[in-house]
């Protein structure tokens, strides 16, 4: 098996180390010396540079190094019939949950207000609300969203979720489909977005959606940047329809230096750090999937190319 690591943004060394530790016999190729392209069976990639796939005539598997595959599917040269697999990883899930908890708890307990008060040596208690009275909502109840909703509920928040298909999650009020969206939004004071980026979810965070949230709601956007209509967010913040937002993902990454979000007083910018699949944690499932590929067994975490996730 020859596996090519190909990415325009990630260095491959940690992946090579982790994969060699898991499977010493694996033939791993790295740029610029990929050897004979006809020998490459599998590409492991994040944001492949243009021209990647056109060179690889015998490709049998494309492996994304993260949970989202939108950057792979956007490649016009992606061969139509090759299976695409993504990462689903418990450690990555734990890290996403921890990140969202940090943001939601900080928002709920008004840590930014308290820090500003400390700078002014001001002893003043913000209005108190019990965690049990605070209604948070998670859009997208997949591997990451479900765990996030469950653990927000364990902390004590009043949690709802919205998903394409129904879900049964103890302690979480689940809404689904376009018909369920209105009731979900109407009760959600803090909206956490963990949807994949697809044709159906692009631009979903727009003026119409913000208007259906209670006035003063807070947004936590951790799925993908193109979910958000940026001008609509700025207007909703100016008008007070939203009270603030933490954004971890952006239409253009890195966020351009002159972007308004950097200095907006109601926006917290985090540089796509919510969670990252680590090579050490993921190497085992890659090797297992290669074994399955050659044994003709069903692959783990294969995405549905029509649905786009
Ligand atoms: P999954 O594929 O496991 O889950 C996606 C969920 O979204 C599914 O439950 C699916 O419902 C639901 N969904 C999809 N389309 C729609 C729709 N149109 N309307 C309502 N619900 C929909 O993905 P993960 O949970 O693993 O990851 C989610 C996303 O998080 C990734 O795609 C990635 O973009 C982002 N991410 C961000 C990171 C960061 O650091 N900021 C790190 C990792 C991931 P159903 O199953 O019913 O189809």
């Amino acid at each position: 098996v020859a596996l090519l690591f190909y990415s325009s943004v990630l260095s491959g060394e940690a992946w090579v180390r982790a994969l060699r530790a898991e499977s010493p016999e694996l033939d791993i190729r790295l740029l610029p010396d990929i050897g004979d392209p006809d020998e490459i069976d599998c590409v492991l990639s994040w944001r492949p540079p243009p021209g990647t796939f056109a060179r690889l005539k015998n490709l049998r598997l494309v492996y994304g190094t993260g949970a989202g595959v939108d950057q792979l599917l956007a490649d016009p040269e992606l061969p139509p019939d090759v299976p695409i697999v993504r990462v689903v990883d418990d450690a990555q899930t734990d890290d996403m949950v921890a990140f969202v908890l940090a943001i939601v708890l900080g928002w709920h307990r008004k840590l930014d207000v308290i820090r500003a008060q400390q700078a002014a040596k001001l002893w003043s208690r913000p209005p108190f609300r019990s965690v049990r009275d605070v209604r948070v909502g998670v859009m997208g109840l997949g591997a990451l969203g479900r765990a996030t909703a469950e653990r927000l509920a364990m902390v004590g928040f009043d949690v709802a979720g919205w998903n394409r298909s129904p879900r049964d999650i103890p302690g979480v009020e689940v809404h689904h489909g376009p018909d369920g969206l209105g009731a979900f939004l109407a009760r959600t004071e803090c909206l956490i977005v963990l949807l994949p980026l697809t044709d159906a979810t692009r631009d979903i965070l727009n003026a119409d959606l913000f208007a259906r949230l209670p006035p003063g709601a807070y947004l936590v956007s951790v799925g993908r940047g193109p979910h958000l209509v940026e001008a609509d967010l700025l207007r909703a913040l100016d008008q007070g329809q939203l009270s603030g937002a933490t954004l971890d993902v952006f239409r253009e990454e890195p966020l351009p230096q002159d972007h308004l979000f950097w200095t907006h007083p109601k926006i917290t910018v985090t540089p796509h750090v919510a969670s990252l699949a680590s090579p050490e944690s993921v190497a085992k499932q890659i090797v297992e999937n290669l074994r399955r590929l050659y044994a003709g067994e069903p692959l783990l975490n294969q995405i549905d190319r029509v649905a786009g996730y």
Side-chain angles (χ1 to χ4, degrees):
V1 175
L3 175 142
L4 171 64
F5 181 88
Y6 224 40
S7 170
S8 54
V9 286
L10 293 180
S11 138
E13 278 142 39
W15 288 94
V16 173
R17 249 193 330 272
L19 285 165
R20 290 240 163 88
E22 194 58 39
S23 173
E25 69 277 12
L26 199 60
D27 172 4
I28 308 174
R29 317 268 175 100
L30 274 178
L31 291 175
D33 185 17
I34 72 164
D36 179 357
D38 289 349
E39 291 171 1
I40 308 283
D41 302 285
C42 171
V43 162
L44 176 64
S45 187
W46 175 262
R47 290 190 200 286
T52 301
F53 296 112
R55 303 167 65 190
L56 308 173
K57 302 283 180 255
N58 296 320
L59 202 56
R60 297 187 56 184
L61 179 65
V62 174
Y63 219 118
T65 58
V69 288
D70 45 285
Q71 31 83 33
L72 288 172
L73 295 177
D75 190 319
E77 292 167 357
L78 191 67
D81 303 321
V82 172
I84 299 171
V85 163
R86 71 190 189 101
V87 165
V88 178
D89 178 56
D90 287 346
Q92 182 182 31
T93 302
D94 287 346
D95 289 329
M96 176 58 78
V97 171
F99 180 84
V100 173
L101 281 173
I103 303 300
V104 174
L105 288 167
W107 160 78
H108 165 52
R109 297 313 298 253
K110 301 191 181 345
L111 294 185
D112 55 339
V113 174
I114 288 174
R115 277 194 202 103
Q117 288 180 174
Q118 180 181 349
K121 299 185 179 173
L122 178 64
W123 183 277
S124 167
R125 291 180 170 144
F128 177 78
R129 285 178 73 198
S130 166
V131 70
R132 295 182 178 195
D133 298 330
V134 177
R135 297 186 309 270
V136 303
V138 181
M139 290 180 93
L141 299 173
L144 301 175
R146 181 188 178 112
T148 301
E150 283 171 342
R151 288 193 235 166
L152 284 162
M154 282 168 71
V155 172
F157 287 105
D158 182 353
V159 183
W162 180 73
N163 200 54
R164 194 185 56 78
S165 56
R167 286 280 185 286
D168 186 11
I169 308 179
V172 177
E173 174 189 315
V174 177
H175 303 257
H176 72 275
D179 293 345
L181 184 60
F184 166 77
L185 293 172
R187 51 83 69 210
T188 292
E189 300 170 79
C190 179
L191 178 68
I192 298 138
V193 185
L194 271 166
L195 290 164
L197 179 63
T198 66
D199 291 345
T201 64
R202 186 178 301 277
D203 297 333
I204 194 168
L205 301 176
N206 57 34
D208 173 58
L209 181 140
F210 297 146
R212 297 161 85 183
L213 291 164
Y218 192 85
L219 172 67
V220 182
S221 174
V222 273
R224 282 290 179 266
H227 288 146
L228 176 66
V229 180
E230 296 185 345
D232 288 5
L233 171 66
L234 291 170
R235 211 169 300 115
L237 290 169
D238 286 349
Q239 293 168 349
Q241 177 57 24
L242 293 184
S243 58
T246 291
L247 310 175
D248 187 53
V249 286
F250 302 89
R251 285 187 176 258
E252 189 181 346
E253 296 181 7
L255 189 64
Q257 284 294 306
D258 58 355
H259 201 289
L260 291 174
F261 287 172
W262 280 117
T263 49
H264 197 292
K266 295 180 180 172
I267 293 178
T268 300
V269 169
T270 59
H272 202 143
V273 290
S275 93
L276 195 68
S278 92
E280 293 72 27
S281 178
V282 170
K284 205 182 202 60
Q285 61 183 267
I286 295 176
V287 171
E288 167 61 12
N289 254 338
L290 290 172
R291 188 198 64 73
R292 286 170 176 246
L293 180 75
Y294 286 91
E297 294 172 18
L299 298 169
L300 302 170
N301 307 320
Q302 182 172 351
I303 65 124
D304 173 346
R305 287 185 67 160
V306 177
Y309 62 99

